Amino acid sequence: MTNQQYQEAIAWLFVQMPSYQTDGQKAYKPGLENITKLCNLFGNPQEKLKMIHIGGTNGKGSTSNMLASVLQEAGYKVGLYNSPHLIDFTERIKINGENCDKEFVYQFIQKLRNLPQEITPSFFEFTTVMAFEYFYRKKVDYAIIEVGLGGRLDSTNIIIPMITAITNVALDHQDLLGNTIEEIAFEKAGIIKPGIAVVSGAENAVVEKIIENTAIEKNAQFIDATVIRSNIKSDLKGNYQQKNIKVVLALIKELKNLGLDISDKNTQNGLLNVYKNTNFIGRWFEFSNDPLIICDTAHNQAGLEQVFEQLNSIPKFKHIILGFVSEKNINEVLQILPEHSTFYFAKPTNNRGRHPEDYEDLLKKSKINYKIFTTVQEAYLFAKQEVKKEEMIFIGGSNFVVGEFLEKNLDD
């Protein structure tokens, strides 16, 4: 297989199965019917794996990567399934920080061409069974599986894990999961399995009660991670990571009860070496120190509020590059923008990206200092010329914005 063949196979996969919703095509296919058929076709690899299931609105990726890092420090071979990817598809499926083998991905995509007609999987369903098969073939000790969207009807919910975690619940994907926090919490709590402990990082009392009641109904132990008090540090520097660390610590305690050999030193080193151990990027990621350049993939309102709050705590003038997807409520974002900043709005270069000209009337009304660019890279290069010593640049608003920025600049 050549690199060109691999790239053509990935391009074909995205054409066959869009990875996000558009007016013409649906990427999200709720329910377990397709994934059940797919897993049966591949011999149900998920039944041969020891897995940990992590859901929630925000923090799933950070929590799963921190936990993977700790387990790696303890000497385990750890599979990690995250989404979306920022630069290359193989980021979604990792073992001990190493991206999935491109040859395996290429050969697996060929199998898609020969699937029985009655199976028409979504992009995420297909990549989920791909992850299960890869982890099974590579004989991982444990696989950490991040929920894609929601929980109850998410294709990852076919697994029977050792333990489950729900990091938090906030309003996101209301068109698919429900319009209220209660409805979304119900969907997230759908990953709780009978008799299998669930760790909750939810601070909202209504959400916490829904998770706890679901656990009681299913005779599953409910573990409240929010009561944990710890000063343990991580190399993931976002202030919001302190909440995720509590979920990780609660998971580790329960995994030790299940027989895993994890020392306090493993936990400490694992949390301090997440970047190195798992190659995790994009969450309060310090791209450069001079000038200070930070990017973060937070994109829903709850996530952006936390990131913007941390930006406001930095005593520097800020050059902020933002881009959004088509369904983003721009009005909500404009109400929480950081102070003492110049803004550079850009369109993410994919079909889902929204051109800032579409919402410039809102920008004018907000009376912020802003400029508009066609691409993220144009915005970045302009901001880089404008930034003065002791000022900083921030890049965010969407996974696509951060992914585009890193793809163009990370090698530099």
Side-chain angles (χ1 to χ4, degrees):
M1 176 206 70
T2 64
N3 187 57
Q4 183 177 347
Q5 286 176 312
Y6 167 76
Q7 296 297 342
E8 287 173 353
I10 292 292
W12 181 85
L13 177 64
F14 275 87
V15 169
Q16 295 299 310
M17 302 174 175
S19 60
Y20 51 84
Q21 305 283 114
T22 65
D23 291 337
Q25 290 179 297
K26 289 188 176 180
Y28 177 57
K29 295 184 178 181
L32 301 181
E33 185 179 350
N34 265 339
I35 191 68
T36 300
K37 290 177 181 176
L38 270 174
C39 287
N40 282 335
L41 198 65
F42 288 95
N44 289 306
Q46 80 285 358
E47 294 179 357
K48 303 159 191 172
L49 294 164
K50 295 176 180 176
M51 294 194 272
I52 298 151
H53 206 190
I54 298 181
T57 301
N58 294 312
K60 299 188 295 291
S62 297
T63 299
S64 57
N65 275 267
M66 285 193 279
L67 180 60
S69 181
V70 171
L71 293 182
Q72 285 172 228
E73 289 286 343
Y76 295 109
K77 186 176 184 179
V78 185
L80 182 58
Y81 180 48
N82 291 136
S83 62
H85 63 271
L86 293 180
I87 300 173
D88 188 84
F89 174 87
T90 55
E91 295 168 34
R92 292 170 176 259
I93 305 170
K94 294 180 180 178
I95 297 177
N96 283 15
E98 292 290 326
N99 288 5
C100 183
D101 180 64
K102 288 185 176 181
E103 178 70 34
F104 171 83
V105 172
Y106 174 79
Q107 295 298 341
F108 206 85
I109 290 174
Q110 306 317 306
K111 296 177 182 180
L112 175 60
R113 301 174 190 266
N114 300 311
L115 285 180
Q117 284 190 340
E118 66 269 18
I119 305 179
T120 54
S122 68
F123 176 90
F124 191 74
E125 287 167 339
F126 186 71
T127 56
T128 297
V129 76
M130 184 189 295
F132 294 159
E133 180 69 5
Y134 190 66
F135 295 151
Y136 169 64
R137 287 194 192 183
K138 295 294 185 179
K139 296 181 170 55
V140 299
D141 295 315
Y142 300 99
I144 301 170
I145 308 296
E146 179 190 336
V147 173
L149 194 154
R152 182 175 65 92
L153 300 175
D154 186 76
S155 58
T156 64
N157 206 26
I158 192 175
I159 70 173
I160 305 297
M162 305 166 62
I163 188 170
T164 297
I166 300 171
T167 55
N168 55 60
V169 177
L171 292 175
D172 196 18
H173 298 293
Q174 287 100 308
D175 55 327
L176 301 171
L177 301 178
N179 291 314
T180 67
I181 200 78
E182 291 87 352
E183 289 174 322
I184 295 174
F186 171 77
E187 293 298 325
K188 302 286 184 187
I191 65 172
I192 300 172
K193 301 292 191 304
I196 295 170
V198 57
V199 172
S200 169
E203 295 180 330
N204 180 304
V206 172
V207 169
E208 183 184 22
K209 199 65 184 171
I210 290 171
I211 295 171
E212 186 175 12
N213 286 343
T214 305
I216 291 169
E217 288 168 14
K218 298 188 178 180
N219 195 30
Q221 181 188 3
F222 173 81
I223 301 167
D224 183 4
T226 66
V227 301
I228 292 176
R229 295 289 173 262
S230 173
N231 294 320
I232 195 164
K233 304 295 183 186
S234 172
D235 59 342
L236 304 188
K237 295 302 182 186
N239 290 346
Y240 52 84
Q241 297 295 2
Q242 290 305 312
K243 298 175 183 179
N244 296 326
I245 287 172
K246 292 182 179 183
V247 175
V248 173
L249 293 176
L251 281 166
I252 290 168
K253 183 178 179 182
E254 185 58 26
L255 287 170
K256 289 167 75 171
N257 290 338
L258 292 172
L260 275 72
D261 185 11
I262 306 168
S263 68
D264 291 346
K265 193 70 174 173
N266 296 150
T267 300
Q268 183 180 354
N269 289 341
L271 289 170
L272 284 173
N273 292 284
V274 182
Y275 288 130
K276 185 185 80 173
N277 287 342
T278 73
N279 285 309
F280 183 54
I281 55 174
R283 311 306 195 276
W284 200 263
F285 179 63
E286 191 172 306
F287 174 81
S288 162
N289 189 45
D290 186 20
L292 178 62
I293 300 175
I294 289 170
C295 53
D296 195 289
T297 57
H299 54 277
N300 57 45
Q301 198 69 4
L304 287 170
E305 284 176 2
Q306 292 182 70
V307 167
F308 289 168
E309 182 181 347
Q310 187 164 353
L311 276 174
N312 276 330
S313 72
I314 300 174
K316 290 176 180 284
F317 186 84
K318 300 158 190 76
H319 299 260
I320 297 180
I321 300 165
L322 295 172
F324 306 106
V325 294
S326 56
E327 65 270 24
K328 185 67 191 170
N329 187 329
I330 306 299
N331 252 329
E332 288 184 348
V333 178
L334 293 179
Q335 292 171 21
I336 60 169
L337 289 177
E339 303 163 350
H340 312 300
S341 306
T342 293
F343 297 91
Y344 308 78
F345 293 94
K347 177 189 180 296
T349 52
N350 61 69
N351 294 336
R352 200 176 163 198
R354 188 173 180 187
H355 201 292
E357 289 176 353
D358 294 345
Y359 53 85
E360 189 172 10
D361 57 330
L362 298 175
L363 300 180
K364 288 176 180 175
K365 288 177 186 175
S366 70
K367 295 188 169 66
I368 59 172
N369 183 17
Y370 73 90
K371 292 180 174 62
I372 282 178
F373 297 86
T374 304
T375 69
V376 173
Q377 187 65 4
E378 286 176 10
Y380 168 62
L381 292 176
F382 189 91
K384 198 175 177 184
Q385 287 188 323
E386 293 290 300
V387 67
K388 297 182 176 64
K389 192 174 177 63
E390 299 306 316
E391 296 181 346
M392 69 170 289
I393 296 173
F394 175 83
I395 299 131
S398 164
N399 284 295
F400 301 118
V401 169
V402 175
E404 188 177 331
F405 165 72
L406 292 175
E407 184 174 14
K408 295 247 191 281
N409 302 287
L410 192 57
D411 287 345
D412 295 340

